[in-house]
Amino acid sequence: MAGPLIERMSRVDTAWLRMDTPANLMMIVGVWLIEPTLSVAEARLRVAERLLQYDRFRQKVVEDAVGAQWVEDTHFDIDAHVVPETLEPQAGQTPLDALKDRVADLSATPLDMRRPLWQIHLVENLEDGRSALVVRVHHCIADGIALISVMLSITDGGKAPPKRKRRQAEGAEHDWLGEALIKPMADLTIKAIGLTGEVWPSRSS
């Protein structure tokens, strides 16, 4: 029987991990207002279908003497990652203002290092038939632009994230960020150079 999937963390991602301090959390926080309202059960189902096809969302971080590794969380529990939130507005406070206060609290709360470094908090029935999703993801998983693209995939009409690819030789997951965003942008840049000529003038020695 095969053991848990283990992958060495890149130097860049390790740097993001080690820059994390209680006073400056290396965490991306996003807020989505969802209409019509979304239940916790529905949110967990969509996350399971869309995000968990990527190993990274089921891997926790284990640090060692030379850096860190991505290690499969063999006790992964989606209920611990997609959690219900109940707002308690103060007297005279609107639900949106209460949401802002809660987001501020969550932005200053570290993710659980014993689990994969992401969490989604769902406020059902925020107001006017809407729900709110507060998404917290550690920066070592990916940058903000890539995460927005992937997280939007769980909404109606959102483009599905690229299918997972594996290297046959290593059995490791391809970088979905590079495949989905960086490579297409690089291809466009190459085409633009071909149309306009040199980007920088050449210098003679």
Side-chain angles (χ1 to χ4, degrees):
M1 183 177 180
L5 177 65
I6 299 176
E7 179 185 352
R8 173 62 57 183
M9 182 180 287
S10 71
R11 292 180 180 178
V12 172
D13 292 339
T14 301
W16 282 115
L17 180 68
R18 292 186 168 176
M19 282 190 288
D20 195 276
T21 68
N24 185 29
L25 298 177
M26 293 293 104
M27 182 171 61
I28 300 165
V29 181
V31 181
W32 277 261
L33 296 180
I34 306 295
E35 185 177 352
T37 187
L38 185 69
S39 71
V40 171
E42 290 170 327
R44 286 170 177 163
L45 178 61
R46 293 194 181 206
V47 167
E49 290 177 343
R50 298 298 181 92
L51 298 191
L52 297 188
Q53 66 171 291
Y54 298 104
D55 294 330
R56 190 68 77 242
F57 288 93
R58 290 181 284 102
Q59 292 172 325
K60 58 185 179 180
V61 173
V62 176
E63 295 190 73
D64 53 36
V66 296
Q69 295 177 328
W70 296 107
V71 179
E72 181 184 0
D73 182 359
T74 55
H75 300 289
F76 179 83
D77 181 6
I78 196 170
D79 290 0
H81 291 272
V82 182
V83 298
E85 280 284 337
T86 301
L87 298 180
E88 298 181 358
Q90 299 178 3
Q93 190 177 42
T94 67
L96 280 177
D97 286 338
L99 176 63
K100 292 176 184 178
D101 287 347
R102 182 56 180 151
V103 170
D105 290 339
L106 290 170
S107 298
T109 303
L111 292 159
D112 188 348
M113 292 295 295
R114 298 169 301 176
R115 302 180 184 274
L117 295 178
W118 64 275
Q119 197 169 37
I120 297 175
H121 305 257
L122 173 65
V123 180
E124 294 186 61
N125 301 311
L126 177 66
E127 63 176 359
D128 301 327
R130 293 186 296 178
S131 299
L133 286 177
V134 183
V135 181
R136 302 190 303 144
V137 186
H138 199 284
H139 214 313
C140 67
I141 290 182
D143 69 31
I145 294 176
L147 289 171
I148 288 173
S149 173
V150 174
M151 294 308 303
L152 284 176
S153 72
I154 70 174
T155 64
D156 289 338
K159 183 179 179 181
K163 294 296 184 183
R164 180 180 58 192
K165 296 179 180 180
R166 293 180 179 274
R167 296 185 181 96
Q168 292 182 355
E170 302 175 11
E173 179 181 325
H174 274 296
D175 177 21
W176 57 266
L177 168 59
E179 292 287 343
L181 297 177
I182 295 178
K183 186 177 183 299
M185 291 174 66
D187 290 344
L188 288 175
T189 302
I190 292 171
K191 291 179 181 178
I193 293 174
L195 291 173
T196 60
E198 293 181 345
V199 177
W200 296 280
S202 59
R203 294 181 180 179
S204 57
S205 56

